């Protein structure tokens, strides 16, 4: 059996779980998330824990077993704690301003770059050039952070651009003068 798939998911206080017609709904203090589950997977609530079970030992069912357990665990974590990604904007003269649902960046282009937050995502500033993307849906938080990062990829010689806070930026050595 899958080690990930068979691990029970603890249901914290204040979080409700519902599985109707293979549609899993998790409600918590931060919001509500839903996920459609394949018919070959059963999701049940037993003794305050969510258990994910598969019908057979087929390769496809084994793969879906771990997948849906991880997705449901992310849903429970999202409605209780939420998710966030930190991005750093590095460059001379770069400037970033954020409201709850709009991000405006002056990052070396002839025009400011504006990014609207998808539903359920908020922007915040942890510093003058540090962007925090927050939300309850892990997939949306990651995709929004990746979209922001893709607007100005890191330049390898000086390190100018947008990167994740915990990402290691590898610098290339510049050209040297002839002999």
């Amino acid at each position: 059996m899958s080690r990930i798939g068979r691990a029970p998911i603890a249901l914290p206080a204040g979080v409700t779980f519902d599985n109707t017609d293979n549609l899993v709904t998790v409600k918590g203090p931060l919001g509500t998330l839903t996920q459609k589950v394949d018919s070959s997977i059963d999701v049940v609530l037993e003794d305050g824990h969510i258990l994910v079970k598969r019908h057979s030992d087929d390769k496809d069912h084994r793969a879906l077993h771990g997948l849906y357990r991880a997705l449901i665990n992310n849903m429970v974590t999202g409605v209780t704690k939420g998710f966030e990604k930190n991005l750093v904007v590095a460059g001379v003269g770069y400037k970033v301003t954020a409201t709850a649902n709009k991000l405006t960046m002056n990052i070396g282009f002839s025009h400011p770059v504006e990014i609207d937050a998808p539903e359920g995502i908020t922007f915040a500033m942890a510093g003058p050039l540090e962007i925090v993307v927050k939300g309850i849906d892990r997939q949306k938080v990651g995709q929004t952070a990746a979209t922001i990062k893709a607007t100005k990829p890191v330049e390898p010689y000086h390190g100018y651009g947008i990167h994740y806070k915990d990402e290691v930026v590898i610098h290339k050595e510049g050209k040297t003068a002839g002999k």
Side-chain angles (χ1 to χ4, degrees):
M1 266 185 103
S2 167
R3 290 186 209 165
I4 294 172
R6 69 178 167 194
I9 303 167
L11 203 61
V15 177
T16 60
F17 166 81
D18 182 41
N19 184 10
T20 308
D21 297 328
N22 292 332
L23 184 68
V24 173
T25 304
V26 178
K27 291 182 184 178
L30 297 181
T32 303
L33 291 173
T34 59
Q35 174 69 44
K36 184 83 171 142
V37 177
D38 192 78
S39 61
S40 64
I41 303 294
D42 291 331
V43 183
V44 294
L45 180 65
E46 292 179 5
D47 299 328
H49 289 80
I50 301 171
L51 299 176
V52 180
K53 300 176 182 180
R54 62 177 184 243
H55 290 182
S56 70
D57 212 24
D58 292 343
K59 184 177 181 179
D60 293 338
H61 294 177
R62 288 193 318 249
L64 292 175
H65 188 211
L67 169 74
Y68 284 118
R69 191 268 178 201
L71 290 175
I72 293 168
N73 186 44
N74 287 341
M75 291 167 60
V76 171
T77 304
V79 298
T80 54
K81 299 176 190 170
F83 293 101
E84 69 177 40
K85 287 269 190 181
N86 294 333
L87 296 147
V88 176
V89 180
V92 177
Y94 289 3
K95 182 179 168 184
V96 179
T97 56
T99 61
N101 58 1
K102 191 169 199 170
L103 185 68
T104 305
M105 301 182 291
N106 294 320
I107 49 177
F109 297 127
S110 62
H111 60 283
V113 178
E114 294 182 348
I115 297 177
D116 294 323
E119 184 179 342
I121 301 294
T122 59
F123 297 129
M125 298 294 294
L129 293 175
E130 190 172 331
I131 305 164
V132 180
V133 181
K134 295 181 182 180
I136 62 171
D137 188 349
R138 185 173 186 173
Q139 294 171 353
K140 278 187 183 179
V141 169
Q143 183 59 52
T144 304
T147 302
I148 293 169
K149 184 179 179 227
T151 59
K152 187 75 169 183
V154 175
E155 185 265 335
Y157 294 101
H158 297 104
Y160 297 158
I162 302 172
H163 61 89
Y164 296 113
K165 186 174 184 180
D166 57 352
E167 180 181 4
V168 177
V169 178
I170 298 174
H171 292 281
K172 288 184 177 180
E173 184 178 335
K175 294 182 180 179
T176 56
K179 296 182 179 183

